[in-house]
Amino acid sequence: MTADTFFQHLANALSLGSLYALLAIGYTMVYGVLRLINFAHGDIFMLATYFAFYIATTAIMPWWAVFILAIVLTGIFGVVVERVAYKPLRDYPRMSIMISAIGVSFLIENLATVVFGGRPKAFSVPELFSGLVMFGNVRIITVNLFIPVVTFVMLIILLFVVNKTKTGMAMRAVSTDFDAARLMAIDVNRIISFTFLLGSLLAGVGGVMWSLKYQQLQPLMGIMPGLKCFIAAVIGGIGSIGGAVLGGFILGMIEIMAVAFFPGATGYRDVFAFVLLIIILLVKPSGLLGKSSADKV
Amino acid sequence: MADTKKRNMILTIAALVAWIILLFVFDKVFDPFTMRIFNLCGIYVTLALSLNLINGFTGMFSLGHAGFMAVGAYVSALLTLSPATKAMNFYLAPITPLLANVQMPFLPALLIGGLVAAFVGFLIGWPVLRLRDDYLAIATLGFSEIIRVVITNLQTITNGSLGLKGIPRYTNVWWSWGIAIVAILFMVFLMRGSYGKAFKAIREDDTAAEAMGVGVFRHKVLSFVIASFMAGVGGGLLGHLLGTIDPLMFRFTLTYNILLIVVLGGIGSITGTVIAAIVITVATEALRFLDGDIDLGLFVIPGIPGMRMVVFSILLMCVILFWQRGLMGNRELSWEMLLPARRSAARKPDPSATGQSEGKRD
């Protein structure tokens, strides 16, 4: 492998890792406040791509307005899912909410297949993102440059919200101790909705950029990235935003590089994430940046 | 008390005999399509019971069932396919000489399929069952996906993504329901014995169970391995019912379907699972009319393919949201419940009877 192709793979891995990171943050934040694997997160990500597709084909708007509208719609949808499917079950055992999450994901997938059609759709990409940039002999598609930059900006905004604002402080409080936060007069329902909003907005950003990168939409496209990004969150240490980002990048890097260096492993590409997950769970179950917690009796 | 016990025993045997006679009649009366649904019911009873053993009775959360079913289905199918059909199937790459000429009857093939699935379950359970709750769920989901991808890539053994076709259709109503009845009886006796009590203790509180001297990890592995065996046998039955299998069949949507049967029937209820398996299998077939055009006389609603699954998943969400405990909760349907007149007469002075009826109300 020449250095040029290596750098091309590196750019690809960085942009894939960024997308994984954006999605993984949603998982990690929801898990932080509710201790719930939001199985529907991958499907919310899928909806973002279809929102963008349909707004772009029906309304006359500049592309950035289309994307922003799609992302906002996705955020609202995430909040609605929480209100309808998770909130009524909050006092039930955790298994019930998880089953509800599986049910929602099942429903969204089936509904999307009926409404959007099962056949893949082609996403038309604005020229800005499909250009090629040359760095010496290394050719990089512009979208692969945009994705890490946008992700970085999103991350800065998110960290600001979580660490510097009052709502962010309440979020951290809820994730540290749900009941104590409620006793401290924090409006837990509002904070949970806000968490879902943030997570789904980021999933929306990720979804739109995903369709810019891969240009193909399918109703079931959210399942695999969804699972992998939950795994990325676990690898990084669930509940930690930095960990989710780290996990996302590690996963993106491994997937692209393993296939680049060992072309024979192409068929096994979707397995790397799961193997990595099982290794991490056995060696360091709290994840790379997570805090381990002992069992309280 | 001994009297009612004896009566219950007689009633159970009578019901069993009645069911067998009924199956015999069905087999003669109904067309193959309807019988296929009956077969599916039986297979889903076995599969849902095995998932309920892990999720309902032992209180773990496994989402790996599709993987074990795939192992059972592939192993048993490879053992019953005739060498000639195998040669036809493997046109991309020839099958390994080890398997090319093996052929055996259905029962040993099914059992070997189940045993291999159980062995895989043991290999997976050993490391993974140390995890809890949602971590366990995602790890088992991961393993079932790994199994599927490995099957897709082992071209010379499993025929890869082309799948296996022309599997002899051995599964009839006797096989599917015979094994289902064996599975039901096995579960009933397992849950009555010391193992069942240990499983339930782990479900309620595994730290407390450990303190009481229950070997938690050993029992968890045992429950997982038994369930994998049953899943493998169920997968084998399914393969020999459909006649063709391919890796895409065993995606995690299959696990979800079985999980939903368990949820609807009540997590931790044998009778609930049996009823739900029948209801859901029949309902998914009954809802098939939604996919075609609906003729209302004056006008025709054009059918939308896939509508069936949407309605199905909405119904399911309603159960999850408004009917948390499912059909049976974690109770069992008993003869006492079915014969309320005699129960109230026999138990009126018993204070526990009122407690029971209160428990039933929620």
Side-chain angles (χ1 to χ4, degrees), chain B residues 16-36:
Chain B
L16 216 61
V17 172
W19 184 237
I20 290 170
I21 294 171
L22 209 60
L23 283 179
F24 187 76
V25 174
F26 285 167
D27 204 21
K28 290 268 173 285
V29 176
F30 286 131
D31 57 303
F33 177 72
T34 321
M35 281 326 283
R36 214 185 79 140

Side-chain angles (χ1 to χ4, degrees), chain A residues 45-258:
Chain A
F45 154 87
M46 172 274 292
L47 282 179
T49 67
Y50 274 97
F51 285 154
F53 175 83
Y54 279 103
I55 297 169
T57 45
T58 53
I60 302 160
M61 273 195 240
W63 57 265
W64 52 267
V66 171
F67 292 169
I68 290 175
L69 190 58
I71 290 163
V72 170
L73 279 177
T74 313
I76 296 169
F77 189 85
V79 176
V80 171
V81 166
E82 192 272 329
R83 278 288 148 107
V84 175
Y86 305 152
K87 194 170 165 232
L89 300 177
R90 204 167 292 154
D91 297 324
Y92 285 91
R94 270 165 64 193
M95 210 193 250
S96 308
I97 312 188
M98 195 147 98
I99 292 168
S100 183
I102 292 174
V104 170
S105 138
F106 204 52
L107 176 60
I108 297 177
E109 281 155 23
N110 288 328
L111 205 59
T113 314
V114 168
V115 176
F116 305 140
R119 221 171 277 158
K121 287 192 173 6
F123 192 84
S124 59
V125 179
E127 264 174 54
L128 178 62
F129 298 104
S130 52
L132 278 174
V133 181
M134 302 287 287
F135 291 97
N137 283 327
V138 186
R139 284 190 305 171
I140 294 173
I141 309 172
T142 36
V143 72
N144 280 346
L145 295 176
F146 270 102
I147 291 175
V149 173
V150 174
T151 304
F152 185 71
V153 174
M154 288 295 143
L155 201 61
I156 299 287
I157 297 173
L158 179 75
L159 286 177
F160 176 79
V161 170
V162 171
N163 290 323
K164 300 286 177 202
T165 63
K166 215 156 184 189
T167 318
M169 197 195 231
M171 268 173 70
R172 281 179 287 141
V174 172
S175 95
T176 312
D177 192 328
F178 193 90
D179 294 316
R182 201 184 326 209
L183 288 176
M184 294 298 129
I186 288 172
D187 184 350
V188 174
N189 285 330
R190 201 177 61 85
I191 296 302
I192 290 174
S193 293
F194 185 71
T195 309
F196 271 85
L197 180 70
L198 279 184
S200 308
L201 284 176
L202 290 178
V205 176
V208 167
M209 294 203 294
W210 184 282
S211 36
L212 288 176
K213 185 169 158 71
Y214 293 105
Q215 294 140 29
Q216 202 191 41
L217 316 185
Q218 263 176 292
L220 302 184
M221 66 189 273
I223 302 178
M224 254 306 157
L227 277 177
K228 283 181 188 165
C229 291
F230 176 74
I231 291 171
V234 173
I235 291 171
I238 197 120
S240 137
I241 290 175
V245 175
L246 181 67
F249 277 108
I250 290 176
L251 202 57
M253 203 60 90
I254 288 182
E255 274 191 6
I256 299 286
M257 288 304 171

